[in-house]
Amino acid sequence: MNLDKKITILISWFLSRPKTTGILVFTLLFLVSNLILFLRYQIIKESEQREMSSILNVVHQNIEQSLKNSHISTLTLAMTIDDNGNPSNFDEIGKQLVDSNPNIDAVELVPNGVIKYVYPLKGNEPVVNFDVLNSPKARKSAMKAIKNRKIYYAGPLELKQGGKGIVGWFPVFKSNKFWGFCTVVIKFNTFLETSGIKTFSTDKYYFQFSKTNPETGKEEFFLPNKKNFTNKTHLTVSFPDGDWKLYLITTNNYYLIKQLIPIAILAIVLSLICGLFTTSLLKRPSELQRLVHSQALRLMKSEIKFKSIFEQAAIGIAHIDSNSGTFIEANERFCQMLGYETNEISKMDYMMITHPNDLENDFKKMRLLKRGVIREFGLEKRFFHKDGNIVWASVTITPLWSVGEKPTSHIGIIEDITDKKEAQDRIKRSEKRFKSLFNNSPIPLWEEDFSEVKKYLTELGLIDMPREEVEAYLKNNIDVIRKCLSLVKVIDVNNMCLALHSVKDKNILKGKLSTIFDDESIPIFSKQLIAITQRQNHITGDSQIKFMDNQYKHIHFRWSVVPEYEKTLERVLVSTEDITERKNSEEVILKSQQKIESLINTIDGIVWEGDPNTFDFTFISRKVEDILGYTPEEWLGTPSFWINHVHPDDKEWVIAFMSRYTYEKRQHDFEYRMIRKDGEIVWLRDIVSVVVENDIAVNLRGIMIDITKAKMAEIELNNTLHLVTEQNKRLLNFSYIVSHNLRSHTSNIQSISNLIESADTDEERDEMIQLLKSVSSVLNETMNNLNEVVTIQTNINLIIEPLNLKKYINKTLDVLREQLVKNDVIIHNDVNKEIEVKYNPAYLESILLNFISNAIRYGHAERQTVIDLKSYQEDGKTVLEISDNGIGIDLEKNGEKLFGMYKTFTNHADARGIGLFISKNQIDAMGGKIVVKSTIDEGTTFKIYFR
């Protein structure tokens, strides 16, 4: 059977089975449309991934560049620190760094972990003298930087000066010992602005920034929209220098599916229509015309759907006449991109809105497309926005004619990349700023390549060899040093380096170091080689070398490996600062200082200089060791040493006094106490001069004179005078009591004596004698009471010892146990068992016995007596509070005479009016006081204050 017959049979089979044929057509079209949808989904998904990757890459580069610039700033700061750990020109260099680098908001120097230098200082005052290594929040990140010997970025965290930010800790080592940190501060808002995170966040994507909390181990997020995004499409990059992660996340994970659903539905509908059409066509050929019309309507609806998709696309789409360049059609996104309305675009051609400098490339590619050399092309070009601004776009052109056909029109897919271009421009400007910073640095800088040197030293087996052995080897093999010198490549030098070496062309200094330096450079170069063998990344030193003008000069060099090049040493920064004048000046100053110091140390007083803002001392003479026992090194080695050793009772007023007179820029002279090293108290007279420049206090100078002996004599004299005055007051008061109390008794005795003499009978005389005995007994009791008062007021050598207050209260309650039981008294003893008071034991027993027995004696007849005892601290003093619910005292009537001798306020048979008087005198004698509150018929509360 030939092929034609087989085809005829197959056709007949399909024509005879219209339903089966329709199902097969539907199935075939459905599978093909699904395949097309799947491929379309893959293309869109890949495009989305490329777009996300591009955006994330730009932001990643921006952040890396920002961190790189910050790192360079810390390196520059580190180079300002000399061998003694003192920075030079910090404010000037800090200003240049902050002004030239928009990525950072402040720079700091942190010697020994304490922030001492900040630029700009305004707004950052709260961080000055902040101890980083003793701060729970800052210590971990700072210690990590020290451990890794590289910069580490802490945060985002709450800054002491306010707001949230990032702090870059760059550890500085001097002679392989930790000196402190060079720090950059980046406010979090600045970080977001310079990175482009805010710029690239759209309705389609958003960013998230995170860091693992070292305390909890959990990942913390710092940007809005912190919802779980693990089920969403996202990309991530890491930043090891800060242990950060940056995520780019799609806002809607299902938007692609939503876009393809209408097309899928359309494909199903078309497949079903084609299947039914085929079935109908085979069943009723007569209805072909009607079906054609129906199909046309469906195609029209389909075109409307495609038109809707065209208009709602997320990127610009334009249908363009390939011959005239006019816009046949453009979607809303393209019009929004350029600021035109749809009707305005339809009257324009692409030449009118294309930048003139990009037209030639556009024409060239269109000619290739029309000739069939290429089937599509893409390019980046500039459009003019309606407002005149330039819009950068990525354009993809696809023709709508088949191969061999005459060009008709084409489709342009236009994506706005203005933000990306601006980000790239910012990176270029940042690199330009770095280059400018290097070239215009006030410090002579060399950028060198030591990679070949390290390879050579590795071949010799010197890497990780003990320092002493390396030093001995190099000393005995000068040729090895010369060989290493020839292997160093000079990458670049800055302008100050040219000035230092008195040359105008960089090429004279670039190339091999062996052509520039001779054997005089061997000592300084040997230190660098030793550092390489010991894997040191930073060394400094002073040396004397011969320059190209044949003059010998002193230089201070700093040799630092650029981070990330520690393994290869391909980039090393070396500064060679001319310190010849400084060395000569230092020698002159040293001799002058030695003379001045010798003169100062002969003065019988402590000569000192200090900071007017912090009162930290910058100089103190050797006499301090004789007077206070501290060496000058101890004094100057600790910040706030003087303030910390002023007597605690004088510290507050001394600081206030110094601050006020320093602020007013007035000389002052005052006396205060300090604690010697052996714990003794020393009285000092401090005569202070305020050094003023430009109406600003810049320094304090003074001399401390030991006046302890004179002060002790003065205090002793004042104490004696005070004691005599008090005794006179008490004596005068006692004389009033004696004259008042004894006068009544003597008058009674005199009257009774007269009555005895005039008595007519023995019975009257006996009665008067009995009355005289009674008055004599009362007089004797009064004399005993007065004698006890005299003893209290004249006893200046009382035995005072620490006494447990609760123990003595319990002892008193035991003494009064019979009265407590007899009167059914309830005692609430809430006194702390740990409290001790320094008191005379007899006085304390007497006071407690008087007050508690009074509370029992004057209980209210209509209720059970309750006595409450409790203790607490008030204004630094221990207070014992004794409260009862007894009959109370009318304080308005009797308040002024409450503690008078023989003053009674009740009709109680046992009331004598002496107990409160004696207790008051005992409390006064011990330097305390007593306060009373009372309400009639409610009760009384006594508060006894112990000194």
Side-chain angles (χ1 to χ4, degrees):
M1 187 181 296
N2 55 32
L3 182 60
D4 292 336
K5 275 189 175 184
K6 290 181 178 179
I7 291 173
T8 301
I9 294 170
L10 186 61
I11 292 172
S12 299
W13 190 87
F14 279 109
L15 291 173
S16 63
R17 295 173 175 82
K19 289 185 179 180
T20 303
T21 303
I23 292 171
L24 290 174
V25 170
F26 168 80
T27 303
L28 180 62
L29 290 175
F30 180 77
L31 293 174
V32 170
S33 63
N34 280 341
L35 178 60
I36 294 171
L37 282 173
F38 177 77
L39 294 175
R40 178 63 177 168
Y41 176 84
Q42 291 295 325
I43 292 170
I44 295 174
K45 195 68 177 177
E46 290 175 3
S47 176
E48 180 194 54
Q49 290 289 330
R50 285 196 299 272
E51 182 183 9
M52 291 177 68
S53 179
S54 176
I55 292 172
L56 191 61
N57 186 50
V58 169
V59 175
H60 180 253
Q61 290 178 359
N62 290 347
I63 294 176
E64 288 288 354
Q65 186 62 39
S66 175
L67 298 183
K68 179 181 178 183
N69 292 342
S70 300
H71 191 188
I72 291 170
S73 297
T74 59
L75 284 173
T76 304
L77 278 178
M79 291 179 182
T80 66
I81 304 169
D82 61 24
D83 288 343
N84 297 323
N86 300 316
S88 60
N89 300 324
F90 171 77
D91 286 338
E92 179 181 348
I93 295 173
K95 184 177 186 302
Q96 292 179 3
L97 293 174
V98 173
D99 290 347
S100 63
N101 192 345
N103 299 315
I104 61 178
D105 296 284
V107 294
E108 301 168 349
L109 285 179
V110 192
N112 297 316
V114 179
I115 298 175
K116 289 294 184 182
Y117 304 89
V118 183
Y119 185 85
L121 182 59
K122 186 175 181 182
N124 294 300
E125 293 88 349
V127 301
V128 176
N129 292 325
F130 175 57
D131 192 340
V132 172
L133 297 179
N134 287 322
S135 169
K137 292 185 178 180
R139 175 178 172 80
K140 283 200 173 183
S141 56
M143 292 303 297
K144 187 168 185 179
I146 296 172
K147 179 181 179 182
N148 297 330
R149 293 204 171 199
K150 61 185 292 188
I151 194 166
Y152 181 78
Y153 294 90
L157 45 77
E158 294 297 330
L159 301 174
K160 286 186 71 63
Q161 55 267 54
K164 184 177 290 185
I166 292 169
V167 180
W169 304 107
F170 179 78
V172 178
F173 294 83
K174 296 293 181 182
S175 302
N176 206 27
K177 291 183 178 180
F178 175 66
W179 175 85
F181 298 99
C182 294
T183 305
V184 294
V185 179
I186 307 171
K187 292 185 178 177
F188 195 50
N189 195 47
T190 302
F191 179 80
L192 296 179
E193 289 287 348
T194 57
S195 66
I197 288 176
K198 290 187 175 181
T199 303
F200 287 113
S201 296
T202 64
D203 293 336
K204 189 175 179 181
Y205 308 112
Y206 69 93
F207 284 91
Q208 188 51 261
F209 189 76
S210 73
K211 182 172 184 174
T212 300
N213 189 313
E215 300 289 341
T216 63
K218 294 182 180 179
E219 189 175 20
E220 294 182 350
F221 298 94
F222 300 95
L223 295 180
N225 198 350
K226 298 181 181 180
K227 294 180 180 179
N228 189 342
F229 55 83
T230 54
N231 294 326
K232 292 183 179 181
T233 301
H234 63 274
L235 297 178
T236 182
V237 292
S238 299
F239 301 88
D241 288 344
D243 292 331
W244 300 321
K245 286 185 179 180
L246 179 66
Y247 297 88
L248 181 61
I249 309 153
T250 59
T251 56
N252 189 347
N253 215 32
Y254 303 101
Y255 78 97
L256 289 177
I257 296 174
K258 291 180 180 179
Q259 288 183 2
L260 294 175
I261 285 175
I263 301 175
I265 294 173
L266 179 60
I268 295 171
V269 171
L270 288 176
S271 299
L272 184 58
I273 290 171
C274 289
L276 294 174
F277 174 75
T278 301
T279 302
S280 300
L281 182 64
L282 294 177
K283 287 176 66 176
R284 290 175 293 183
S286 61
E287 295 180 2
L288 181 60
Q289 189 62 37
R290 182 176 62 80
L291 291 174
V292 170
H293 179 70
S294 176
Q295 187 67 11
L297 289 175
R298 292 190 180 95
L299 289 174
M300 186 183 299
K301 293 180 180 178
S302 177
E303 184 178 349
I304 292 172
K305 292 181 180 178
F306 279 114
K307 185 71 174 178
S308 176
I309 294 171
F310 173 82
E311 289 294 340
Q312 296 175 11
I315 59 176
I317 303 175
H319 185 194
I320 308 168
D321 189 310
S322 302
N323 298 308
S324 65
T326 58
F327 291 97
I328 301 171
E329 196 175 10
N331 72 346
E332 184 68 22
R333 178 66 183 122
F334 180 69
C335 294
Q336 290 176 355
M337 190 186 306
L338 300 180
Y340 291 100
E341 299 293 335
T342 306
N343 59 345
E344 292 177 311
I345 283 289
S346 63
K347 298 174 184 178
M348 305 173 70
D349 58 53
Y350 76 91
M351 288 81 77
M352 296 171 64
I353 59 175
T354 300
H355 195 283
N357 295 339
D358 294 341
L359 279 175
E360 182 57 36
N361 187 36
D362 217 336
F363 290 153
K364 180 179 178 180
K365 291 193 178 286
M366 277 302 299
R367 286 195 293 268
L368 294 175
L369 186 69
K370 290 178 180 180
R371 295 207 310 264
V373 178
I374 57 177
R375 281 301 297 164
E376 65 177 9
F377 68 87
L379 73 163
E380 292 182 355
K381 60 184 289 187
R382 290 165 288 183
F383 288 107
F384 285 115
H385 194 275
K386 186 177 181 179
D387 60 11
N389 291 327
I390 291 176
V391 178
W392 274 95
S394 174
V395 181
T396 302
I397 302 298
T398 304
L400 295 180
W401 68 84
S402 301
V403 178
E405 291 182 351
K406 185 179 179 179
T408 55
S409 62
H410 58 271
I411 291 292
I413 308 297
I414 304 97
E415 180 183 1
D416 188 348
I417 60 170
T418 304
D419 291 341
K420 174 183 175 183
K421 282 292 184 180
E422 290 179 353
Q424 291 174 347
D425 288 342
R426 285 197 296 269
I427 292 172
K428 290 179 182 178
R429 289 196 298 270
S430 178
E431 291 176 349
K432 187 176 180 180
R433 283 197 300 270
F434 165 71
K435 195 67 178 177
S436 173
L437 182 63
F438 175 82
N439 285 326
N440 299 317
S441 172
I443 301 173
L445 297 176
W446 301 65
E447 187 177 3
E448 300 174 356
D449 182 353
F450 274 75
S451 57
E452 294 298 326
V453 175
K454 185 172 183 180
K455 291 178 182 177
Y456 181 57
L457 294 176
T458 302
E459 292 174 0
L460 294 175
L462 296 177
I463 303 297
D464 295 328
M465 185 181 287
R467 178 184 288 271
E468 295 77 11
E469 296 182 19
V470 175
E471 290 176 350
Y473 179 86
L474 294 178
K475 183 177 181 179
N476 296 325
N477 295 273
I478 302 299
D479 291 340
V480 171
I481 300 176
R482 294 194 182 100
K483 171 69 174 177
C484 292
L485 192 60
S486 68
L487 293 175
V488 178
K489 298 175 184 177
V490 180
I491 302 171
D492 198 5
V493 294
N494 72 347
N495 295 330
M496 281 301 295
C497 197
L498 298 179
L500 177 63
H501 289 272
S502 302
V503 297
K504 296 182 178 180
D505 188 358
K506 287 186 177 183
N507 292 324
I508 297 176
L509 298 179
K510 291 172 66 174
K512 304 287 185 180
L513 278 182
S514 57
T515 62
I516 302 171
F517 297 113
D518 55 14
D519 289 350
E520 298 296 333
S521 307
I522 286 178
I524 187 173
F525 190 70
S526 295
K527 292 182 179 179
Q528 299 174 14
L529 297 180
I530 293 169
I532 294 172
T533 63
Q534 305 305 303
R535 300 186 185 276
Q536 291 177 254
N537 296 323
H538 309 280
I539 60 167
T540 60
D542 293 343
S543 182
Q544 189 176 26
I545 65 172
K546 185 177 181 181
F547 279 67
M548 299 191 72
D549 57 2
N550 293 323
Q551 291 186 8
Y552 282 95
K553 296 181 181 180
H554 289 280
I555 68 153
H556 176 74
F557 77 91
R558 298 180 184 87
W559 184 89
S560 301
V561 181
V562 176
E564 299 182 2
Y565 293 92
E566 291 89 350
K567 292 184 179 180
T568 62
L569 302 186
E570 291 178 354
R571 290 189 66 190
V572 177
L573 288 178
V574 183
S575 68
T576 52
E577 182 182 0
D578 184 1
I579 59 171
T580 304
E581 292 185 6
R582 191 183 81 190
K583 283 288 186 181
N584 295 336
S585 299
E586 285 177 354
E587 186 174 351
V588 173
I589 292 171
L590 181 61
K591 292 179 180 178
S592 176
Q593 285 179 339
Q594 289 173 346
K595 291 180 181 178
I596 294 172
E597 187 173 348
S598 176
L599 178 62
I600 288 173
N601 287 331
T602 61
I603 297 174
D604 190 18
I606 304 169
V607 180
W608 61 270
E609 279 190 342
D611 189 312
N613 298 312
T614 63
F615 302 138
D616 290 346
F617 280 45
T618 55
F619 170 79
I620 195 162
S621 63
R622 287 282 171 188
K623 199 67 177 178
V624 69
E625 194 166 358
D626 296 334
I627 295 176
L628 293 173
Y630 302 102
T631 65
E633 291 76 19
E634 289 177 308
W635 193 289
L636 300 177
T638 305
S640 304
F641 187 92
W642 173 73
I643 292 175
N644 293 338
H645 291 79
V646 173
H647 194 283
D649 293 343
D650 294 347
K651 184 178 297 184
E652 185 175 347
W653 76 261
V654 165
I655 294 173
F657 183 88
M658 284 278 284
S659 299
R660 177 163 62 87
Y661 275 81
T662 302
Y663 176 77
E664 296 173 356
K665 299 182 279 293
R666 289 197 291 156
Q667 320 305 320
H668 43 286
D669 181 346
F670 60 115
E671 298 174 359
Y672 58 91
R673 292 167 291 177
M674 288 196 70
I675 308 300
R676 270 182 59 90
K677 191 172 184 177
D678 58 9
E680 293 292 324
I681 295 174
V682 177
W683 275 93
L684 296 175
R685 179 187 178 192
D686 206 344
I687 305 170
V688 185
S689 298
V690 182
V691 181
V692 180
E693 294 181 5
N694 298 324
D695 202 34
I696 298 175
V698 297
N699 204 356
L700 297 177
R701 295 188 181 125
I703 180 168
M704 300 175 183
I705 302 171
D706 186 357
I707 59 169
T708 304
K709 291 182 180 179
K711 201 68 182 179
M712 291 298 103
E714 179 185 340
I715 292 171
E716 186 66 27
L717 181 61
N718 288 335
N719 289 339
T720 303
L721 179 61
H722 177 73
L723 180 61
V724 170
T725 302
E726 286 297 315
Q727 292 287 20
N728 285 338
K729 287 181 181 179
R730 291 178 182 179
L731 184 60
L732 182 60
N733 185 48
F734 184 71
S735 68
Y736 295 152
I737 294 171
V738 170
S739 64
H740 176 271
N741 293 347
L742 294 184
R743 188 185 299 118
S744 60
H745 294 303
T746 55
S747 296
N748 289 336
I749 292 173
Q750 185 177 7
S751 299
I752 294 171
S753 298
N754 292 332
L755 290 173
I756 292 174
E757 290 177 354
S758 61
D760 295 330
T761 64
D762 290 339
E763 291 181 357
E764 287 184 7
R765 190 176 293 108
D766 292 339
E767 184 180 349
M768 292 299 116
I769 290 172
Q770 291 299 322
L771 185 60
L772 180 61
K773 288 181 180 179
S774 176
V775 172
S776 298
S777 176
V778 172
L779 176 61
N780 182 61
E781 184 181 355
T782 299
M783 293 300 295
N784 289 334
N785 291 336
L786 291 175
N787 184 58
E788 186 175 353
V789 172
V790 170
T791 302
I792 294 171
Q793 293 185 346
T794 58
N795 193 346
I796 60 174
N797 295 311
L798 288 171
I799 298 174
I800 298 174
E801 57 187 74
L803 306 175
N804 186 286
L805 186 57
K806 188 159 188 175
K807 178 180 177 182
Y808 270 75
I809 291 173
N810 290 334
K811 182 178 178 182
T812 302
L813 294 176
D814 287 339
V815 171
L816 299 172
R817 181 64 55 192
E818 184 178 348
Q819 295 184 39
L820 293 172
V821 173
K822 178 181 178 181
N823 293 281
D824 192 22
V825 178
I826 297 175
I827 298 292
H828 294 149
N829 186 1
D830 295 325
V831 175
N832 191 325
K833 64 179 181 181
E834 303 295 331
I835 287 183
E836 289 188 345
V837 293
K838 292 183 178 180
Y839 229 69
N840 178 266
Y843 281 11
L844 184 59
E845 288 180 1
S846 173
I847 291 167
L848 293 174
L849 188 63
N850 266 322
F851 282 106
I852 297 175
S853 62
N854 279 351
I856 298 170
R857 184 179 299 118
Y858 301 114
H860 201 286
E862 297 179 1
R863 56 176 171 260
Q864 186 178 15
T865 300
V866 179
I867 302 175
D868 294 311
L869 300 102
K870 59 183 178 180
S871 61
Y872 49 87
Q873 294 291 317
E874 185 178 304
D875 297 330
K877 295 183 177 180
T878 300
V879 180
L880 172 63
E881 185 176 296
I882 303 174
S883 301
D884 64 60
N885 63 342
I887 61 177
I889 304 170
D890 188 346
L891 294 179
E892 291 185 5
K893 181 179 178 181
N894 303 310
E896 293 184 357
K897 54 184 180 180
L898 179 63
F899 295 104
M901 192 171 187
Y902 300 123
K903 302 298 180 181
T904 59
F905 317 109
T906 69
N907 295 321
H908 199 282
D910 294 335
R912 296 187 300 136
I914 192 64
L916 287 179
F917 177 77
I918 292 174
S919 294
K920 176 69 164 58
N921 276 267
Q922 289 173 331
I923 292 171
D924 289 344
M926 296 304 298
K929 69 175 183 177
I930 183 168
V931 176
V932 60
K933 292 182 181 179
S934 184
T935 303
I936 293 293
D937 289 331
E938 290 186 10
T940 304
T941 297
F942 289 95
K943 294 170 68 173
I944 302 168
Y945 290 80
F946 296 93
R947 184 175 60 181

